[in-house]
C-alpha cells in the first residue's frame, strides 16, 4: 500500500492544485507548519485514533478529538506538576508542554476558518464560573490570548444557568447541539464549566445527484438512502481496505472514507491507524470512481471521564491527586467531562458539530481541624515507646520541680480500657473526626 501511495505522490501533488480549478474553485489555501509542528499534529492525531478506539461502541457515532484538545488545552493552563504532564502527554504534546498546546490551538483557531470560503469552520471556547469562585488573572490572560475564550460569572444555585450554558452551546453550533446540560447532570456546586464548540459545514466539491439516491440494503440488512456519484476522485486501495477522499469547496477540507474489504472489519482497519500511517493516507491518486454512500444523521453523547483516565491522565479526575492550582482561587479537579456531537451528511455536503464540557469542582476539604488545648501545668504521666508496635521503653510522671521525691507506693493493677482512635492528616495535625476521603493516619497507620 505504501509503495502505491508513494508512486502516486507526484501525480497527487500536481493534480491537487489543478483539480479545484477544474471544479471551478481557486487553489486551496494551506496552513504552513514547521517540522516540529508537523510532529505535534501527527502525535495529536495519534490521540484522535486512540480516543475513538476507546469511545466507539456497536452503534454509529461521531466524536471530535479537536474539541477535546481545545477544552483540555484551555484548562491545562491552570494545571501543574504531574496533572499537566499527563494532559500534555495524552494529547500528544509531550515535551512541547502547555505552551505547545496553546500555540497549536491558536494556529488552528485563527487559520482554519479562513482556508476556504465555501466551507464554514468555527471554534469557540467559554468559561462559566460559579460566583463563589474567581479565576486567576494569569489563567484568564492565557484563555483570552490563545483561545479567545469568553468568561462569565453566574450564580450556579440559579438553575437559569443551565439555560444560559445550553444557549451558548446552541448558538456556537448553529443549533446542532441545543443542550449539553439538564437538571440531572447539572452540578450547582461546581466551581466552573469550561466549554469548547467546534462547528463545520462543507459543501461537496462534487455534489451527489438527489435523483440518483435510492434505498438500498446496508450490510445485508436494513434499507438506507444510498447516494450515488461517479467522477474523478482521490482514491487508493490495499488488501485491507479501499480509501476514498471526497473534497469540500476548494479542497481545503475533505472527508476520507475507509471501507474494509469483504471479510475485514472496522476493527481491523482502526488497528492499523496512527498519526504516522494517517500521514500516508493523505496522498491518494486521482482515479475514476463510482461511489455509493449512505446519507447520515447521527447524534452521539459520550462521557469521557473513564476514557481520558485510560488514555493516560488519571490524576486530573481525582480530588486527591489533581494539581490545578492556577485556575481559580481554590484547588479544583475534573469532576465530569463529556461530549455531545452530531453529523448530518446528504447530497449537498456535510454539517457537523461537537461541544465538549469540562466540569471543574473544588477538591474536597476536611475543614479546619478542631484545636485542643494541652497546657501541661499540672502533674502528668509520660511514656516513651516505639510507634509502629507500641512497645514502651520508658514510663514516668512529672509532678513539678518542687515535688519531694518519695518511694513509690505499691503499684496497682491497671484497668483495661479501649482507646478511642486518633486521626491525623499527613502533616501531623490532629483531626476531630475520621476524614470522608483521601489519605489520613489512624493510630499511627496510614489509611484511605
Amino acid at each position: 500500500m505504501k509503495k502505491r501511495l508513494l508512486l502516486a505522490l507526484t501525480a497527487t501533488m500536481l493534480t491537487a492544485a489543478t483539480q479545484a480549478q477544474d471544479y471551478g474553485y481557486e487553489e486551496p489555501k494551506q496552513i504552513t507548519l514547521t517540522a516540529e509542528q508537523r510532529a505535534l499534529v501527527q502525535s495529536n492525531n495519534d490521540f484522535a485514533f486512540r480516543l475513538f478506539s476507546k469511545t466507539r461502541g456497536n452503534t454509529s457515532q461521531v466524536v471530535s478529538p479537536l474539541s477535546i484538545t481545545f477544552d483540555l488545552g484551555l484548562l491545562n493552563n491552570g494545571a501543574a506538576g504531574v496533572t499537566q504532564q499527563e494532559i500534555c502527554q495524552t494529547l500528544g504534546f509531550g515535551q512541547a508542554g502547555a505552551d505547545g498546546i496553546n500555540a497549536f490551538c491558536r494556529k488552528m483557531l485563527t487559520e482554519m476558518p479562513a482556508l476556504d470560503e465555501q466551507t464554514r469552520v468555527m471554534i469557540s471556547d467559554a468559561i462559566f464560573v460559579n460566583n463563589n469562585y474567581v479565576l486567576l488573572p494569569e489563567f484568564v490572560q492565557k484563555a483570552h490570548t490563545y483561545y479567545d475564550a469568553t468568561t462569565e460569572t453566574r450564580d450556579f444555585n440559579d438553575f437559569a444557568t443551565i439555560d444560559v450554558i445550553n444557549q451558548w452551546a446552541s448558538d456556537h453550533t448553529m443549533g446542532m447541539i441545543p443542550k449539553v446540560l439538564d437538571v440531572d447532570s447539572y452540578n450547582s456546586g461546581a466551581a466552573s464549566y469550561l466549554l469548547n464548540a467546534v462547528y463545520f459545514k462543507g459543501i461537496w466539491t462534487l455534489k451527489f445527484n438527489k435523483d440518483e439516491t435510492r434505498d438500498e440494503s446496508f450490510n445485508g440488512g436494513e434499507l438506507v438512502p444510498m447516494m450515488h456519484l461517479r467522477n474523478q476522485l482521490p482514491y487508493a486501495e490495499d488488501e485491507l481496505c479501499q480509501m476514498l477522499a471526497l473534497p469540500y469547496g476548494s479542497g481545503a477540507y475533505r472527508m476520507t472514507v475507509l471501507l474494509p474489504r469483504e471479510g475485514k472489519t472496522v476493527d481491523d482497519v482502526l488497528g492499523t491507524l496512527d498519526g504516522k500511517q494517517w500521514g500516508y493516507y493523505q496522498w491518494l491518486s486521482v482515479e475514476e470512481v463510482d461511489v455509493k454512500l449512505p446519507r447520515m444523521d447521527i447524534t452521539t453523547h459520550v462521557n469521557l471521564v473513564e476514557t481520558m483516565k485510560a488514555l493516560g491522565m488519571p490524576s486530573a479526575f481525582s480530588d486527591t491527586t489533581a494539581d490545578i492550582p492556577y485556575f481559580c482561587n481554590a484547588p479544583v479537579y475534573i469532576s465530569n467531562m463529556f461530549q455531545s456531537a452530531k453529523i448530518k451528511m446528504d447530497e449537498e455536503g456535510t454539517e457537523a458539530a461537537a461541544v465538549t464540557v469540562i466540569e471543574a469542582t473544588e477538591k474536597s476539604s476536611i475543614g479546619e481541624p478542631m484545636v485542643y488545648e494541652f497546657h501541661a501545668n499540672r502533674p502528668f504521666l509520660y511514656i516513651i515507646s516505639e510507634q509502629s508496635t507500641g512497645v514502651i521503653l520508658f514510663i514516668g510522671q512529672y509532678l513539678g520541680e518542687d515535688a519531694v521525691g518519695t518511694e513509690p507506693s505499691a503499684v496497682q493493677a491497671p484497668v483495661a480500657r479501649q482507646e478511642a482512635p486518633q486521626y491525623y492528616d499527613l502533616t501531623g495535625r490532629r483531626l476531630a473526626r475520621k476524614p470522608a476521603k483521601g489519605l489520613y493516619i489512624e493510630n499511627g497507620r496510614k489509611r484511605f
Side-chain angles (χ1 to χ4, degrees), residues 281-297:
Y281 286 176
Q282 302 309 294
W283 305 106
L284 308 179
S285 60
V286 176
E287 309 285 354
E288 183 77 12
V289 188
D290 187 80
V291 182
K292 288 186 177 181
L293 199 65
R295 287 182 194 154
M296 290 192 296
D297 190 342

Side-chain angles (χ1 to χ4, degrees), residues 8 61 63 120-121 135 137 143 178 237 277 337 341 400 444:
Q61 63 188 93
V63 296
R120 187 173 186 182
V121 175
L135 296 178
E237 61 180 50
Q277 185 67 19
M337 182 176 178

Side-chain angles (χ1 to χ4, degrees), residues 92-403:
F93 289 84
Q95 297 300 317
D99 290 340
I101 302 176
N102 289 337
F104 168 82
C105 289
R106 186 64 189 173
K107 194 171 187 66
M108 298 302 109
L109 175 66
T110 56
E111 296 192 31
M112 289 181 71
L115 291 178
D116 186 351
E117 293 181 356
Q118 307 296 319
T119 303
R120 187 173 186 182
V121 175
M122 297 193 308
I123 304 173
S124 311
D125 285 276
I127 308 168
F128 294 91
V129 187
N130 193 326
N131 61 7
N132 294 324
Y133 299 90
V134 178
L135 296 178
L136 299 186
E138 184 177 355
F139 175 85
V140 173
Q141 186 268 328
K142 290 183 177 180
H144 290 166
T145 299
Y146 295 107
Y147 298 87
D148 290 345
T150 60
T151 58
E152 182 174 347
T153 299
R154 296 195 59 86
D155 180 3
F156 277 25
N157 288 318
D158 180 359
F159 277 64
T161 298
I162 299 175
D163 297 330
V164 172
I165 292 176
N166 285 335
Q167 189 62 53
W168 185 94
S170 181
D171 290 345
H172 290 82
T173 60
M174 305 305 291
M176 291 195 76
I177 310 292
K179 182 169 71 173
V180 292
L181 289 173
D182 57 24
V183 174
D184 292 330
S185 61
Y186 177 66
N187 179 6
S188 61
S192 178
Y193 279 100
L194 299 89
L195 280 73
N196 170 269
V198 174
Y199 174 79
F200 174 92
K201 185 173 184 179
I203 304 301
W204 299 124
T205 305
L206 297 169
K207 297 179 183 178
F208 292 81
N209 187 338
K210 292 182 180 180
D211 293 337
E212 296 184 15
T213 298
R214 300 284 187 274
D215 286 344
E216 297 186 20
S217 175
F218 185 81
N219 203 30
E222 62 177 334
L223 296 178
V224 301
M226 195 72 74
M227 304 183 297
H228 179 253
L229 171 69
R230 179 171 175 171
N231 214 303
Q232 296 279 319
L233 291 164
Y235 174 84
E237 61 180 50
D238 62 10
E239 68 283 354
L240 183 61
C241 67
Q242 298 172 271
M243 287 148 282
L244 173 72
L246 294 168
Y248 299 99
S250 65
Y253 296 93
R254 64 181 179 175
M255 173 182 283
T256 301
V257 183
L258 293 92
L259 178 65
R261 294 284 195 181
E262 293 288 344
K264 302 296 184 180
T265 66
V266 171
D267 280 334
D268 295 331
V269 176
L270 192 57
T272 68
L273 288 175
D274 57 21
K276 184 176 182 180
Q277 185 67 19
W278 179 242
Y280 290 128
Y281 286 176
Q282 302 309 294
W283 305 106
L284 308 179
S285 60
V286 176
E287 309 285 354
E288 183 77 12
V289 188
D290 187 80
V291 182
K292 288 186 177 181
L293 199 65
R295 287 182 194 154
M296 290 192 296
D297 190 342
I298 300 166
T299 301
T300 301
H301 303 285
V302 58
N303 190 282
L304 295 167
V305 173
E306 295 305 320
T307 296
M308 299 310 298
K309 285 182 182 179
L311 288 175
M313 46 170 290
S315 69
F317 295 91
S318 168
D319 68 347
T320 57
T321 61
D323 190 4
I324 310 177
Y326 308 126
F327 174 65
C328 68
N329 60 334
V332 298
Y333 72 105
I334 301 177
S335 50
N336 201 3
M337 182 176 178
F338 53 91
Q339 184 182 97
S340 295
K342 184 177 179 67
I343 185 170
K344 295 174 66 176
M345 186 176 77
D346 60 18
E347 292 85 353
E348 296 291 320
T350 305
E351 187 177 23
V355 175
T356 302
V357 180
I358 293 176
E359 177 188 285
T361 300
E362 184 176 0
K363 297 171 71 171
S364 62
S365 175
I366 298 170
E368 290 296 322
M370 186 180 296
V371 179
Y372 295 88
E373 285 191 354
F374 187 88
H375 299 171
N377 52 12
R378 52 195 178 274
F380 59 90
L381 185 71
Y382 58 89
I383 299 170
I384 299 174
S385 66
E386 195 281 317
Q387 61 91 20
S388 64
T389 62
V391 171
I392 296 174
L393 281 71
F394 300 93
I395 185 170
Q397 65 178 13
Y398 183 82
L399 305 178
E401 294 295 334
D402 296 330

